[in-house]
mmCIF file of all heavy atoms in Angstrom:
data_model
loop_
_atom_site.group_PDB
_atom_site.id
_atom_site.type_symbol
_atom_site.label_atom_id
_atom_site.label_comp_id
_atom_site.label_asym_id
_atom_site.label_seq_id
_atom_site.Cartn_x
_atom_site.Cartn_y
_atom_site.Cartn_z
ATOM 1 N N GLY A 8 0.255 14.359 18.594
ATOM 2 C CA GLY A 8 0.849 13.047 18.389
ATOM 3 C C GLY A 8 0.177 12.232 17.288
ATOM 4 O O GLY A 8 -0.171 12.736 16.218
ATOM 5 N N TYR A 9 -0.071 10.949 17.592
ATOM 6 C CA TYR A 9 -0.646 10.024 16.619
ATOM 7 C C TYR A 9 -2.070 10.410 16.241
ATOM 8 O O TYR A 9 -2.542 10.073 15.137
ATOM 9 C CB TYR A 9 -0.621 8.609 17.195
ATOM 10 C CG TYR A 9 -1.315 7.588 16.323
ATOM 11 C CD1 TYR A 9 -0.775 7.208 15.092
ATOM 12 C CD2 TYR A 9 -2.507 7.005 16.743
ATOM 13 C CE1 TYR A 9 -1.423 6.278 14.289
ATOM 14 C CE2 TYR A 9 -3.157 6.075 15.944
ATOM 15 C CZ TYR A 9 -2.613 5.710 14.723
ATOM 16 O OH TYR A 9 -3.247 4.792 13.936
ATOM 17 N N ASP A 10 -2.781 11.125 17.122
ATOM 18 C CA ASP A 10 -4.160 11.522 16.832
ATOM 19 C C ASP A 10 -4.240 12.424 15.598
ATOM 20 O O ASP A 10 -5.264 12.455 14.909
ATOM 21 C CB ASP A 10 -4.781 12.234 18.031
ATOM 22 C CG ASP A 10 -4.991 11.290 19.212
ATOM 23 O OD1 ASP A 10 -5.026 10.071 18.963
ATOM 24 O OD2 ASP A 10 -5.114 11.767 20.348
ATOM 25 N N ILE A 11 -3.196 13.169 15.322
ATOM 26 C CA ILE A 11 -3.167 14.007 14.118
ATOM 27 C C ILE A 11 -3.212 13.128 12.876
ATOM 28 O O ILE A 11 -3.999 13.361 11.958
ATOM 29 C CB ILE A 11 -1.906 14.902 14.107
ATOM 30 C CG1 ILE A 11 -1.912 15.853 15.320
ATOM 31 C CG2 ILE A 11 -1.826 15.693 12.801
ATOM 32 C CD1 ILE A 11 -0.612 16.616 15.491
ATOM 33 N N ASP A 12 -2.379 12.095 12.854
ATOM 34 C CA ASP A 12 -2.372 11.171 11.718
ATOM 35 C C ASP A 12 -3.711 10.442 11.602
ATOM 36 O O ASP A 12 -4.216 10.223 10.499
ATOM 37 C CB ASP A 12 -1.244 10.153 11.878
ATOM 38 C CG ASP A 12 0.133 10.797 11.846
ATOM 39 O OD1 ASP A 12 0.318 11.725 11.035
ATOM 40 O OD2 ASP A 12 0.998 10.388 12.626
ATOM 41 N N LEU A 13 -4.296 10.070 12.738
ATOM 42 C CA LEU A 13 -5.568 9.354 12.731
ATOM 43 C C LEU A 13 -6.677 10.225 12.130
ATOM 44 O O LEU A 13 -7.509 9.743 11.354
ATOM 45 C CB LEU A 13 -5.930 8.945 14.163
ATOM 46 C CG LEU A 13 -7.037 7.901 14.340
ATOM 47 C CD1 LEU A 13 -6.724 6.642 13.559
ATOM 48 C CD2 LEU A 13 -7.219 7.589 15.820
ATOM 49 N N PHE A 14 -6.662 11.512 12.466
ATOM 50 C CA PHE A 14 -7.671 12.417 11.914
ATOM 51 C C PHE A 14 -7.533 12.526 10.398
ATOM 52 O O PHE A 14 -8.516 12.416 9.658
ATOM 53 C CB PHE A 14 -7.535 13.799 12.561
ATOM 54 C CG PHE A 14 -8.377 14.855 11.910
ATOM 55 C CD1 PHE A 14 -9.740 14.938 12.165
ATOM 56 C CD2 PHE A 14 -7.816 15.769 11.025
ATOM 57 C CE1 PHE A 14 -10.523 15.908 11.551
ATOM 58 C CE2 PHE A 14 -8.581 16.742 10.416
ATOM 59 C CZ PHE A 14 -9.944 16.807 10.684
ATOM 60 N N PHE A 15 -6.328 12.729 9.924
ATOM 61 C CA PHE A 15 -6.134 12.910 8.477
ATOM 62 C C PHE A 15 -6.264 11.599 7.697
ATOM 63 O O PHE A 15 -6.361 11.619 6.469
ATOM 64 C CB PHE A 15 -4.789 13.568 8.202
ATOM 65 C CG PHE A 15 -4.790 15.048 8.468
ATOM 66 C CD1 PHE A 15 -4.175 15.569 9.589
ATOM 67 C CD2 PHE A 15 -5.439 15.918 7.602
ATOM 68 C CE1 PHE A 15 -4.175 16.938 9.839
ATOM 69 C CE2 PHE A 15 -5.456 17.284 7.841
ATOM 70 C CZ PHE A 15 -4.833 17.787 8.966
ATOM 71 N N SER A 16 -6.307 10.480 8.400
ATOM 72 C CA SER A 16 -6.528 9.210 7.712
ATOM 73 C C SER A 16 -7.952 9.101 7.177
ATOM 74 O O SER A 16 -8.202 8.322 6.245
ATOM 75 C CB SER A 16 -6.235 8.032 8.653
ATOM 76 O OG SER A 16 -7.212 7.963 9.686
ATOM 77 N N VAL A 17 -8.881 9.869 7.766
ATOM 78 C CA VAL A 17 -10.269 9.853 7.277
ATOM 79 C C VAL A 17 -10.698 11.204 6.711
ATOM 80 O O VAL A 17 -11.744 11.301 6.079
ATOM 81 C CB VAL A 17 -11.249 9.450 8.404
ATOM 82 C CG1 VAL A 17 -10.930 8.052 8.911
ATOM 83 C CG2 VAL A 17 -11.235 10.461 9.534
ATOM 84 N N CYS A 18 -9.908 12.235 6.923
ATOM 85 C CA CYS A 18 -10.267 13.574 6.429
ATOM 86 C C CYS A 18 -9.741 13.754 5.011
ATOM 87 O O CYS A 18 -8.534 13.733 4.771
ATOM 88 C CB CYS A 18 -9.693 14.656 7.337
ATOM 89 S SG CYS A 18 -10.034 16.339 6.757
ATOM 90 N N ASP A 19 -10.681 13.911 4.078
ATOM 91 C CA ASP A 19 -10.278 14.164 2.691
ATOM 92 C C ASP A 19 -10.730 15.541 2.220
ATOM 93 O O ASP A 19 -10.694 15.848 1.032
ATOM 94 C CB ASP A 19 -10.848 13.086 1.771
ATOM 95 C CG ASP A 19 -12.374 13.007 1.847
ATOM 96 O OD1 ASP A 19 -12.953 13.750 2.657
ATOM 97 O OD2 ASP A 19 -12.975 12.202 1.111
ATOM 98 N N ASN A 20 -11.160 16.379 3.165
ATOM 99 C CA ASN A 20 -11.672 17.708 2.841
ATOM 100 C C ASN A 20 -10.511 18.701 2.833
ATOM 101 O O ASN A 20 -9.967 19.042 3.887
ATOM 102 C CB ASN A 20 -12.726 18.127 3.872
ATOM 103 C CG ASN A 20 -13.427 19.421 3.507
ATOM 104 O OD1 ASN A 20 -12.836 20.313 2.898
ATOM 105 N ND2 ASN A 20 -14.683 19.534 3.878
ATOM 106 N N LYS A 21 -10.142 19.161 1.656
ATOM 107 C CA LYS A 21 -9.043 20.119 1.543
ATOM 108 C C LYS A 21 -9.535 21.544 1.319
ATOM 109 O O LYS A 21 -8.735 22.452 1.091
ATOM 110 C CB LYS A 21 -8.107 19.708 0.401
ATOM 111 C CG LYS A 21 -7.384 18.392 0.672
ATOM 112 C CD LYS A 21 -6.340 18.096 -0.375
ATOM 113 C CE LYS A 21 -5.581 16.818 -0.033
ATOM 114 N NZ LYS A 21 -4.511 16.503 -1.010
ATOM 115 N N GLN A 22 -10.867 21.745 1.410
ATOM 116 C CA GLN A 22 -11.439 23.067 1.202
ATOM 117 C C GLN A 22 -11.687 23.803 2.519
ATOM 118 O O GLN A 22 -11.359 24.971 2.665
ATOM 119 C CB GLN A 22 -12.758 22.956 0.414
ATOM 120 C CG GLN A 22 -12.613 22.289 -0.944
ATOM 121 C CD GLN A 22 -11.636 23.013 -1.848
ATOM 122 O OE1 GLN A 22 -11.635 24.245 -1.927
ATOM 123 N NE2 GLN A 22 -10.790 22.254 -2.534
ATOM 124 N N THR A 23 -12.291 23.101 3.491
ATOM 125 C CA THR A 23 -12.615 23.729 4.770
ATOM 126 C C THR A 23 -11.343 24.160 5.497
ATOM 127 O O THR A 23 -10.359 23.414 5.553
ATOM 128 C CB THR A 23 -13.410 22.765 5.671
ATOM 129 O OG1 THR A 23 -14.617 22.393 4.993
ATOM 130 C CG2 THR A 23 -13.762 23.418 6.994
ATOM 131 N N LYS A 24 -11.387 25.355 6.059
ATOM 132 C CA LYS A 24 -10.233 25.878 6.793
ATOM 133 C C LYS A 24 -10.123 25.162 8.135
ATOM 134 O O LYS A 24 -11.051 25.168 8.936
ATOM 135 C CB LYS A 24 -10.399 27.379 7.010
ATOM 136 C CG LYS A 24 -9.177 28.086 7.558
ATOM 137 C CD LYS A 24 -9.494 29.552 7.853
ATOM 138 C CE LYS A 24 -9.917 30.289 6.601
ATOM 139 N NZ LYS A 24 -10.242 31.699 6.887
ATOM 140 N N LEU A 25 -8.992 24.527 8.381
ATOM 141 C CA LEU A 25 -8.730 23.816 9.638
ATOM 142 C C LEU A 25 -7.726 24.621 10.454
ATOM 143 O O LEU A 25 -6.623 24.898 9.980
ATOM 144 C CB LEU A 25 -8.171 22.418 9.363
ATOM 145 C CG LEU A 25 -9.014 21.487 8.487
ATOM 146 C CD1 LEU A 25 -8.273 20.180 8.247
ATOM 147 C CD2 LEU A 25 -10.373 21.221 9.127
ATOM 148 N N VAL A 26 -8.110 25.001 11.656
ATOM 149 C CA VAL A 26 -7.221 25.761 12.540
ATOM 150 C C VAL A 26 -6.841 24.882 13.714
ATOM 151 O O VAL A 26 -7.696 24.495 14.519
ATOM 152 C CB VAL A 26 -7.899 27.054 13.042
ATOM 153 C CG1 VAL A 26 -6.965 27.800 13.991
ATOM 154 C CG2 VAL A 26 -8.282 27.944 11.863
ATOM 155 N N PHE A 27 -5.584 24.546 13.801
ATOM 156 C CA PHE A 27 -5.080 23.771 14.941
ATOM 157 C C PHE A 27 -4.625 24.764 16.015
ATOM 158 O O PHE A 27 -3.638 25.475 15.836
ATOM 159 C CB PHE A 27 -3.938 22.856 14.508
ATOM 160 C CG PHE A 27 -4.400 21.642 13.744
ATOM 161 C CD1 PHE A 27 -4.641 21.718 12.377
ATOM 162 C CD2 PHE A 27 -4.610 20.442 14.393
ATOM 163 C CE1 PHE A 27 -5.078 20.608 11.669
ATOM 164 C CE2 PHE A 27 -5.048 19.318 13.694
ATOM 165 C CZ PHE A 27 -5.283 19.408 12.330
ATOM 166 N N TYR A 28 -5.374 24.805 17.114
ATOM 167 C CA TYR A 28 -5.109 25.801 18.162
ATOM 168 C C TYR A 28 -4.370 25.158 19.342
ATOM 169 O O TYR A 28 -4.337 23.939 19.500
ATOM 170 C CB TYR A 28 -6.416 26.445 18.626
ATOM 171 C CG TYR A 28 -7.360 25.510 19.362
ATOM 172 C CD1 TYR A 28 -7.344 25.415 20.749
ATOM 173 C CD2 TYR A 28 -8.275 24.725 18.669
ATOM 174 C CE1 TYR A 28 -8.197 24.565 21.420
ATOM 175 C CE2 TYR A 28 -9.139 23.886 19.329
ATOM 176 C CZ TYR A 28 -9.095 23.801 20.710
ATOM 177 O OH TYR A 28 -9.942 22.945 21.380
ATOM 178 N N ASP A 29 -3.791 25.997 20.167
ATOM 179 C CA ASP A 29 -3.077 25.564 21.378
ATOM 180 C C ASP A 29 -2.045 24.480 21.077
ATOM 181 O O ASP A 29 -1.954 23.461 21.770
ATOM 182 C CB ASP A 29 -4.053 25.071 22.440
ATOM 183 C CG ASP A 29 -4.684 26.203 23.225
ATOM 184 O OD1 ASP A 29 -4.333 27.365 22.945
ATOM 185 O OD2 ASP A 29 -5.527 25.955 24.102
ATOM 186 N N ILE A 30 -1.255 24.702 20.040
ATOM 187 C CA ILE A 30 -0.143 23.784 19.756
ATOM 188 C C ILE A 30 0.894 23.945 20.859
ATOM 189 O O ILE A 30 1.349 25.056 21.148
ATOM 190 C CB ILE A 30 0.458 24.078 18.378
ATOM 191 C CG1 ILE A 30 -0.581 23.809 17.283
ATOM 192 C CG2 ILE A 30 1.715 23.241 18.142
ATOM 193 C CD1 ILE A 30 -0.148 24.225 15.898
ATOM 194 N N THR A 31 1.279 22.839 21.480
ATOM 195 C CA THR A 31 2.127 22.920 22.669
ATOM 196 C C THR A 31 3.593 22.589 22.407
ATOM 197 O O THR A 31 4.440 22.853 23.266
ATOM 198 C CB THR A 31 1.607 21.965 23.757
ATOM 199 O OG1 THR A 31 1.649 20.612 23.252
ATOM 200 C CG2 THR A 31 0.174 22.294 24.138
ATOM 201 N N ASN A 32 3.907 21.999 21.246
ATOM 202 C CA ASN A 32 5.301 21.635 21.001
ATOM 203 C C ASN A 32 5.589 21.629 19.506
ATOM 204 O O ASN A 32 4.675 21.556 18.665
ATOM 205 C CB ASN A 32 5.639 20.272 21.614
ATOM 206 C CG ASN A 32 4.782 19.159 21.040
ATOM 207 O OD1 ASN A 32 5.062 18.669 19.953
ATOM 208 N ND2 ASN A 32 3.727 18.770 21.754
ATOM 209 N N GLU A 33 6.853 21.691 19.166
ATOM 210 C CA GLU A 33 7.272 21.822 17.777
ATOM 211 C C GLU A 33 7.089 20.520 16.998
ATOM 212 O O GLU A 33 6.948 20.544 15.765
ATOM 213 C CB GLU A 33 8.722 22.295 17.698
ATOM 214 C CG GLU A 33 9.773 21.311 18.186
ATOM 215 C CD GLU A 33 9.947 21.300 19.707
ATOM 216 O OE1 GLU A 33 9.095 21.861 20.416
ATOM 217 O OE2 GLU A 33 10.946 20.715 20.166
ATOM 218 N N ASN A 34 7.056 19.373 17.683
ATOM 219 C CA ASN A 34 6.862 18.097 16.978
ATOM 220 C C ASN A 34 5.460 18.009 16.377
ATOM 221 O O ASN A 34 5.292 17.615 15.210
ATOM 222 C CB ASN A 34 7.103 16.927 17.935
ATOM 223 C CG ASN A 34 8.545 16.835 18.392
ATOM 224 O OD1 ASN A 34 9.463 17.179 17.645
ATOM 225 N ND2 ASN A 34 8.757 16.385 19.611
ATOM 226 N N ASP A 35 4.451 18.374 17.178
ATOM 227 C CA ASP A 35 3.087 18.409 16.662
ATOM 228 C C ASP A 35 2.969 19.423 15.533
ATOM 229 O O ASP A 35 2.281 19.186 14.533
ATOM 230 C CB ASP A 35 2.100 18.764 17.783
ATOM 231 C CG ASP A 35 1.900 17.629 18.769
ATOM 232 O OD1 ASP A 35 2.312 16.491 18.454
ATOM 233 O OD2 ASP A 35 1.341 17.870 19.853
ATOM 234 N N LEU A 36 3.629 20.558 15.688
ATOM 235 C CA LEU A 36 3.576 21.605 14.667
ATOM 236 C C LEU A 36 4.118 21.095 13.339
ATOM 237 O O LEU A 36 3.496 21.299 12.287
ATOM 238 C CB LEU A 36 4.366 22.834 15.131
ATOM 239 C CG LEU A 36 4.492 23.970 14.122
ATOM 240 C CD1 LEU A 36 3.126 24.557 13.784
ATOM 241 C CD2 LEU A 36 5.417 25.069 14.657
ATOM 242 N N GLU A 37 5.261 20.441 13.363
ATOM 243 C CA GLU A 37 5.856 19.938 12.125
ATOM 244 C C GLU A 37 4.971 18.889 11.465
ATOM 245 O O GLU A 37 4.854 18.833 10.234
ATOM 246 C CB GLU A 37 7.249 19.367 12.402
ATOM 247 C CG GLU A 37 8.290 20.409 12.795
ATOM 248 C CD GLU A 37 8.513 21.448 11.709
ATOM 249 O OE1 GLU A 37 8.322 21.122 10.517
ATOM 250 O OE2 GLU A 37 8.872 22.588 12.044
ATOM 251 N N LYS A 38 4.328 18.054 12.281
ATOM 252 C CA LYS A 38 3.434 17.036 11.722
ATOM 253 C C LYS A 38 2.232 17.690 11.055
ATOM 254 O O LYS A 38 1.811 17.285 9.967
ATOM 255 C CB LYS A 38 2.983 16.090 12.836
ATOM 256 C CG LYS A 38 2.126 14.932 12.364
ATOM 257 C CD LYS A 38 1.882 13.924 13.468
ATOM 258 C CE LYS A 38 3.144 13.157 13.803
ATOM 259 N NZ LYS A 38 2.875 12.002 14.687
ATOM 260 N N ILE A 39 1.670 18.705 11.697
ATOM 261 C CA ILE A 39 0.525 19.426 11.115
ATOM 262 C C ILE A 39 0.934 20.112 9.819
ATOM 263 O O ILE A 39 0.212 20.077 8.817
ATOM 264 C CB ILE A 39 -0.015 20.448 12.132
ATOM 265 C CG1 ILE A 39 -0.664 19.727 13.319
ATOM 266 C CG2 ILE A 39 -1.020 21.396 11.482
ATOM 267 C CD1 ILE A 39 -0.923 20.617 14.513
ATOM 268 N N LEU A 40 2.119 20.728 9.810
ATOM 269 C CA LEU A 40 2.584 21.425 8.605
ATOM 270 C C LEU A 40 2.861 20.460 7.455
ATOM 271 O O LEU A 40 2.764 20.844 6.282
ATOM 272 C CB LEU A 40 3.844 22.237 8.930
ATOM 273 C CG LEU A 40 3.638 23.447 9.845
ATOM 274 C CD1 LEU A 40 4.970 24.104 10.159
ATOM 275 C CD2 LEU A 40 2.685 24.454 9.220
ATOM 276 N N SER A 41 3.194 19.214 7.784
ATOM 277 C CA SER A 41 3.416 18.232 6.712
ATOM 278 C C SER A 41 2.127 17.956 5.952
ATOM 279 O O SER A 41 2.149 17.725 4.730
ATOM 280 C CB SER A 41 3.977 16.930 7.295
ATOM 281 O OG SER A 41 2.992 16.252 8.077
ATOM 282 N N TYR A 42 0.985 18.013 6.647
ATOM 283 C CA TYR A 42 -0.301 17.836 5.966
ATOM 284 C C TYR A 42 -0.697 19.103 5.216
ATOM 285 O O TYR A 42 -1.386 19.028 4.186
ATOM 286 C CB TYR A 42 -1.378 17.448 6.978
ATOM 287 C CG TYR A 42 -1.247 16.014 7.444
ATOM 288 C CD1 TYR A 42 -0.665 15.721 8.677
ATOM 289 C CD2 TYR A 42 -1.677 14.969 6.646
ATOM 290 C CE1 TYR A 42 -0.528 14.407 9.104
ATOM 291 C CE2 TYR A 42 -1.537 13.643 7.054
ATOM 292 C CZ TYR A 42 -0.964 13.370 8.290
ATOM 293 O OH TYR A 42 -0.821 12.065 8.693
ATOM 294 N N LYS A 43 -0.240 20.235 5.685
ATOM 295 C CA LYS A 43 -0.489 21.476 4.942
ATOM 296 C C LYS A 43 0.209 21.425 3.589
ATOM 297 O O LYS A 43 -0.327 21.891 2.573
ATOM 298 C CB LYS A 43 -0.008 22.681 5.753
ATOM 299 C CG LYS A 43 -0.308 24.019 5.107
ATOM 300 C CD LYS A 43 0.097 25.175 6.009
ATOM 301 C CE LYS A 43 -0.252 26.511 5.373
ATOM 302 N NZ LYS A 43 0.103 27.659 6.263
ATOM 303 N N LYS A 44 1.399 20.832 3.549
ATOM 304 C CA LYS A 44 2.132 20.708 2.291
ATOM 305 C C LYS A 44 1.424 19.780 1.307
ATOM 306 O O LYS A 44 1.630 19.863 0.102
ATOM 307 C CB LYS A 44 3.547 20.196 2.568
ATOM 308 C CG LYS A 44 4.431 21.187 3.300
ATOM 309 C CD LYS A 44 5.796 20.598 3.604
ATOM 310 C CE LYS A 44 6.668 21.585 4.372
ATOM 311 N NZ LYS A 44 7.983 20.985 4.740
ATOM 312 N N GLU A 45 0.579 18.902 1.850
ATOM 313 C CA GLU A 45 -0.184 17.995 0.989
ATOM 314 C C GLU A 45 -1.421 18.659 0.396
ATOM 315 O O GLU A 45 -2.155 18.018 -0.365
ATOM 316 C CB GLU A 45 -0.593 16.748 1.776
ATOM 317 C CG GLU A 45 0.576 15.870 2.183
ATOM 318 C CD GLU A 45 0.132 14.640 2.954
ATOM 319 O OE1 GLU A 45 -1.092 14.337 2.936
ATOM 320 O OE2 GLU A 45 0.995 13.974 3.561
ATOM 321 N N GLY A 46 -1.666 19.927 0.777
ATOM 322 C CA GLY A 46 -2.770 20.656 0.169
ATOM 323 C C GLY A 46 -3.944 20.936 1.077
ATOM 324 O O GLY A 46 -4.927 21.557 0.642
ATOM 325 N N PHE A 47 -3.884 20.522 2.337
ATOM 326 C CA PHE A 47 -4.964 20.825 3.266
ATOM 327 C C PHE A 47 -4.917 22.301 3.650
ATOM 328 O O PHE A 47 -3.836 22.893 3.772
ATOM 329 C CB PHE A 47 -4.863 19.951 4.522
ATOM 330 C CG PHE A 47 -5.250 18.516 4.299
ATOM 331 C CD1 PHE A 47 -4.290 17.566 3.978
ATOM 332 C CD2 PHE A 47 -6.572 18.116 4.399
ATOM 333 C CE1 PHE A 47 -4.639 16.240 3.758
ATOM 334 C CE2 PHE A 47 -6.942 16.797 4.181
ATOM 335 C CZ PHE A 47 -5.965 15.861 3.860
ATOM 336 N N ASN A 48 -6.101 22.884 3.833
ATOM 337 C CA ASN A 48 -6.233 24.309 4.159
ATOM 338 C C ASN A 48 -6.060 24.488 5.667
ATOM 339 O O ASN A 48 -7.036 24.574 6.427
ATOM 340 C CB ASN A 48 -7.604 24.808 3.696
ATOM 341 C CG ASN A 48 -7.735 26.317 3.811
ATOM 342 O OD1 ASN A 48 -6.783 27.015 4.161
ATOM 343 N ND2 ASN A 48 -8.917 26.826 3.531
ATOM 344 N N ILE A 49 -4.824 24.560 6.105
ATOM 345 C CA ILE A 49 -4.495 24.518 7.535
ATOM 346 C C ILE A 49 -3.899 25.837 8.004
ATOM 347 O O ILE A 49 -3.082 26.444 7.318
ATOM 348 C CB ILE A 49 -3.506 23.355 7.821
ATOM 349 C CG1 ILE A 49 -4.209 21.999 7.636
ATOM 350 C CG2 ILE A 49 -2.930 23.459 9.232
ATOM 351 C CD1 ILE A 49 -3.273 20.821 7.766
ATOM 352 N N ARG A 50 -4.316 26.258 9.207
ATOM 353 C CA ARG A 50 -3.698 27.380 9.910
ATOM 354 C C ARG A 50 -3.273 26.895 11.290
ATOM 355 O O ARG A 50 -3.905 26.009 11.863
ATOM 356 C CB ARG A 50 -4.663 28.558 10.041
ATOM 357 C CG ARG A 50 -5.186 29.099 8.718
ATOM 358 C CD ARG A 50 -4.083 29.738 7.879
ATOM 359 N NE ARG A 50 -4.624 30.314 6.662
ATOM 360 C CZ ARG A 50 -4.797 29.645 5.524
ATOM 361 N NH1 ARG A 50 -4.465 28.355 5.467
ATOM 362 N NH2 ARG A 50 -5.303 30.229 4.461
ATOM 363 N N THR A 51 -2.221 27.500 11.826
ATOM 364 C CA THR A 51 -1.672 27.050 13.111
ATOM 365 C C THR A 51 -1.736 28.161 14.142
ATOM 366 O O THR A 51 -1.536 29.332 13.819
ATOM 367 C CB THR A 51 -0.218 26.581 12.951
ATOM 368 O OG1 THR A 51 0.543 27.649 12.361
ATOM 369 C CG2 THR A 51 -0.148 25.354 12.059
#
């Protein structure tokens, strides 16, 4: 939910690999993927 946005509001590190585990719903997934499109090194 909103905690994803809150985390990325202070996270400017696009190098470290971020793995979002135990994703429980597609809404959270889409929000996480939107930050991946911004250049963050994200895995789901």
Side-chain angles (χ1 to χ4, degrees):
Y9 174 69
D10 292 339
I11 298 171
D12 296 321
L13 195 55
F14 171 78
F15 283 105
S16 69
V17 299
C18 178
D19 58 357
N20 187 327
K21 294 187 177 182
Q22 302 301 317
T23 301
K24 189 185 299 179
L25 303 176
V26 178
F27 284 84
Y28 67 93
D29 279 359
I30 296 173
T31 61
N32 60 80
E33 68 279 13
N34 294 328
D35 287 346
L36 175 63
E37 292 299 332
K38 184 172 289 191
I39 292 166
L40 291 176
S41 69
Y42 286 101
K43 184 176 182 178
K44 292 177 181 177
E45 293 180 14
F47 287 93
N48 189 4
I49 291 174
R50 302 294 183 273
T51 55

